[in-house]
Amino acid sequence: MELLNKRYKLGRVLGQGAMGRVHLAQDVTTNQQVAIKECFAQNNDELIERIKREYELMKSMDHPGVVKAIDFLHFDNKYFIVMEFIEGITLHELIQRGRRTVKFVKQLEIAIKICEAVYFLNKNGIIHRDLKPQNIILDANYNPKILDLGIAKLENVDHSITQTGNIIGTPTYMSPEQIDGKSATNSDVFSTAVILYQFFSWAKQSPFHGHGAISSMTNVVEKKLPPINLKLAYKNYEVRLGKTFAKSMRKDHEKRSKTVENMLTAFKDTLKAIKRKEIINKVITTVGSTLVTGLFILLWVLRGSFMVDNDSPLPNTHFEDGNTFFSQQKYSEAITEYRKAINLGEKSGEIFYNIGLCYSSLEKYQKSIKYYTEALRYWRGEVWENPYSASGHFQRARAYVLTKQFEKALKDLNKTLEILHKMKAFGDLGSANQVKKTAKEIDEELAAAYFLRGVLHYENQKNTATIQDLKKAITLNPSLKKQASEILEKARANLKK
């Protein structure tokens, strides 16, 4: 087969549109696969100018989120742009596959990289003007790259092919000012927000999609979108993301976010919050069930030693039913049974603590805080302070962290460590009726408390305190080393800056 420019061996067609077709090709000099865009210029000086400018822009852009041009060919009245080849799918294709394709965390990572690429283009004076899911390709690891700078515009540079009055872009994703034949420095902000709103909604079409181009453009100018609707597990992040999208999709470009930086920050903060939550949950799982359900198990087996006397068997029955539901992870049903026991007069720190655990498991942390607080109120009056109140303080600290009440969390963790250290020093603080904890169990609880406090110090950018607490946690429980290593590495790096 004849080589293009004696270098490129053309293969299958990857795609085709009104302005050209893209071939997969082999660069015989480097033995690398490339993509070659064959442009349909048809002796049109305006189109030829656009093709040349697209190559120059792609050639000058050096960013991992923007496809880079390699070569430009012109012969036999044909024009070709040689680009790096990305093996993957477009964002459009990913969205069509549906909600279960990637997790919310991966969506955030993709959105962050898209915003970083758009920010890079805009910062370098380039307005893409045709951002859409079809123009974003994802590699095998879901790293996005922006394609097609064919109608991109350099800020403050007047080109005959981009003069005011021409509608340029894709109707369902273009900004309102583009419909008027104009473009603003933040036109790409609007388009990016529309793309990501669709992506997080898993909608098959743009939220402004109409029955035709005129209908779609009318929607862009007039339609107000409802707040973003996320999966139940991520409802807590809807308000922040909703406000961010609203600012980025304001119809008046002068009132719209000036850059995609507002979205970028929101996505990064959301991702950071989710990962912080994952770290906290992971450490609790890693150290075993002692701190999360250890008290629950003890109360289930030995509740006769703890519960208040009551002539009626009904409270006990409801408590046991609640325990059964808890063990089956039917937390709402467990709460119902525990409340029945309370209504029948059975009130104690233990039952309130168990309700707190149920609400924590349902990720209703504000409610869990209320019940942990009630449990601690009951325990506080006991001799030497009930040793299991350490678990109450720890669980409330965890809930405080997950609701970003960091100062309160720190106080509870300090109290947890104080009680546990007393227990370790005196062998046990329990009465004769209570089960004594082994040294290993106390060390595991201390390790969990130090680890969580270390994570909290890291979030507060107290790197030295982070390192100290995580080291203590690892010493007490070496199994935490793997999880602590990433945070330790980051904390040490921060100290060197």
Side-chain angles (χ1 to χ4, degrees):
M1 181 178 179
E2 186 177 349
L3 298 179
L4 182 64
N5 201 36
K6 299 180 180 181
R7 178 175 178 178
Y8 304 105
K9 182 179 179 180
L10 294 181
R12 61 186 173 89
V13 174
L14 298 172
Q16 182 166 333
M19 301 299 293
R21 68 172 64 93
V22 180
H23 301 264
L24 176 64
Q26 189 80 14
D27 184 345
V28 297
T29 62
T30 63
N31 201 33
Q32 297 290 318
Q33 285 186 316
V34 294
I36 298 182
K37 181 177 180 180
E38 179 184 354
C39 308
F40 301 154
Q42 300 172 334
N43 295 318
N44 185 316
D45 291 340
E46 190 174 286
L47 289 178
I48 292 170
E49 175 64 22
R50 179 182 294 176
I51 292 163
K52 291 180 179 179
R53 189 160 54 87
E54 178 181 8
Y55 167 72
E56 292 299 330
L57 289 176
M58 292 179 67
K59 183 75 173 178
S60 64
M61 294 297 101
D62 186 14
H63 188 275
V66 181
V67 170
K68 194 169 182 63
I70 299 170
D71 201 357
F72 181 77
L73 310 175
H74 171 217
F75 55 88
D76 293 338
N77 207 29
K78 293 182 180 180
Y79 295 84
F80 302 86
I81 297 176
V82 183
M83 305 170 286
E84 61 175 321
F85 170 66
I86 308 299
E87 181 98 41
I89 60 173
T90 65
L91 182 60
H92 171 76
E93 291 172 309
L94 178 65
I95 292 172
Q96 300 310 305
R97 291 181 180 182
R99 186 181 290 273
R100 296 182 180 179
T101 309
V102 296
K103 295 180 179 180
F104 182 60
V105 167
K106 179 57 69 175
Q107 282 184 284
L108 287 170
E109 292 173 349
I110 293 170
I112 287 169
K113 290 178 181 178
I114 290 172
C115 287
E116 287 174 340
V118 174
Y119 182 76
F120 173 81
L121 289 174
N122 292 168
K123 187 178 179 181
N124 283 275
I126 297 171
I127 309 170
H128 189 287
R129 299 197 301 172
D130 196 24
L131 290 169
K132 54 187 176 182
Q134 292 88 338
N135 278 345
I136 299 172
I137 192 164
L138 305 164
D139 66 16
N141 295 316
Y142 294 105
N143 295 308
K145 283 182 179 280
I146 293 175
L147 304 168
D148 198 354
L149 298 178
I151 62 171
K153 179 181 182 294
L154 285 168
E155 293 179 31
N156 303 320
V157 178
D158 182 29
H159 294 281
S160 60
I161 62 172
T162 61
Q163 60 189 357
T164 299
N166 293 334
I167 297 178
I168 295 177
T170 302
T172 50
Y173 296 98
M174 66 171 56
S175 62
E177 60 271 14
Q178 286 176 268
I179 291 171
D180 290 335
K182 304 172 184 176
S183 61
T185 56
N186 60 349
S187 292
D188 285 347
V189 175
F190 186 93
S191 300
T192 304
V194 176
I195 293 167
L196 297 177
Y197 181 97
Q198 177 187 349
F199 182 30
F200 284 109
S201 302
W202 288 104
K204 301 296 183 183
Q205 305 284 352
S206 160
F208 296 119
H209 179 75
H211 297 298
I214 300 300
S215 175
S216 295
M217 287 189 284
T218 300
N219 287 340
V220 168
V221 174
E222 299 178 357
K223 183 178 178 181
K224 184 177 180 180
L225 299 182
I228 194 76
N229 184 22
L230 301 177
K231 289 175 65 177
L232 182 62
Y234 301 106
K235 286 291 181 183
N236 293 341
Y237 307 108
E238 279 186 350
V239 174
R240 170 73 186 277
L241 295 184
K243 289 180 179 179
T244 302
F245 281 123
K247 289 179 182 178
S248 301
M249 288 192 285
R250 284 177 178 161
K251 310 298 185 181
D252 186 345
H253 70 87
E254 292 186 357
K255 296 179 180 179
R256 188 184 308 147
S257 296
K258 300 303 179 185
T259 70
V260 295
E261 199 168 13
N262 188 38
M263 281 188 286
L264 184 59
T265 300
F267 296 143
K268 284 183 174 180
D269 286 349
T270 302
L271 183 61
K272 185 178 180 180
I274 292 172
K275 288 191 172 182
R276 177 177 60 241
K277 182 177 175 181
E278 287 177 348
I279 289 173
I280 294 166
N281 287 334
K282 189 182 290 184
V283 64
I284 292 174
T285 302
T286 302
V287 299
S289 61
T290 305
L291 218 56
V292 183
T293 59
L295 178 56
F296 168 80
I297 293 169
L298 284 168
L299 296 172
W300 192 355
V301 175
L302 301 166
R303 67 181 308 280
S305 300
F306 289 86
M307 293 302 167
V308 296
D309 292 330
N310 196 308
D311 294 333
S312 170
L314 288 176
N316 291 358
T317 300
H318 289 305
F319 185 84
E320 299 300 345
D321 287 345
N323 291 343
T324 300
F325 282 127
F326 188 102
S327 68
Q328 296 171 349
Q329 298 183 350
K330 296 179 179 179
Y331 303 115
S332 296
E333 291 89 340
I335 290 170
T336 299
E337 293 302 318
Y338 290 142
R339 282 178 173 168
K340 287 179 182 178
I342 291 172
N343 291 337
L344 290 168
E346 185 167 1
K347 294 183 179 180
S348 67
E350 290 74 27
I351 198 167
F352 286 114
Y353 177 84
N354 284 3
I355 295 175
L357 285 178
C358 288
Y359 277 122
S360 288
S361 299
L362 292 170
E363 297 187 353
K364 296 181 178 179
Y365 298 112
Q366 290 291 2
K367 286 190 174 181
S368 72
I369 289 169
K370 173 185 174 182
Y371 284 95
Y372 292 138
T373 300
E374 191 67 11
L376 290 167
R377 187 177 71 83
Y378 272 85
W379 284 331
R380 196 167 292 123
E382 298 187 12
V383 180
W384 285 58
E385 186 161 34
N386 189 306
Y388 294 108
S389 63
S391 297
H393 283 291
F394 181 87
Q395 289 298 335
R396 192 170 66 174
R398 176 177 176 269
Y400 278 142
V401 170
L402 292 169
T403 53
K404 297 185 178 181
Q405 300 179 66
F406 299 133
E407 288 186 12
K408 291 180 179 179
L410 187 58
K411 288 181 181 179
D412 264 338
L413 287 171
N414 289 338
K415 189 64 177 179
T416 302
L417 290 167
E418 177 190 336
I419 295 169
L420 290 172
H421 277 299
K422 283 182 180 179
M423 290 175 66
K424 191 171 182 179
F426 290 97
D428 189 85
L429 293 183
S431 66
N433 291 332
Q434 296 171 341
V435 172
K436 294 181 182 294
K437 295 186 179 183
T438 66
K440 182 180 179 183
E441 288 172 335
I442 295 174
D443 282 347
E444 285 181 342
E445 294 183 3
L446 280 167
Y450 276 123
F451 190 103
L452 185 54
R453 196 173 73 173
V455 172
L456 185 56
H457 284 322
Y458 178 72
E459 289 302 319
N460 291 329
Q461 298 181 341
K462 296 180 179 179
N463 296 297
T464 301
T466 297
I467 294 168
Q468 290 172 346
D469 274 357
L470 292 183
K471 280 185 174 181
K472 289 177 182 177
I474 294 170
T475 300
L476 290 162
N477 188 349
S479 67
L480 292 174
K481 185 175 181 179
K482 183 177 180 181
Q483 273 130 334
S485 59
E486 182 181 356
I487 302 175
L488 277 171
E489 185 178 336
K490 290 180 178 179
R492 286 166 178 155
N494 290 339
L495 286 176
K496 292 179 180 179
K497 290 181 181 179

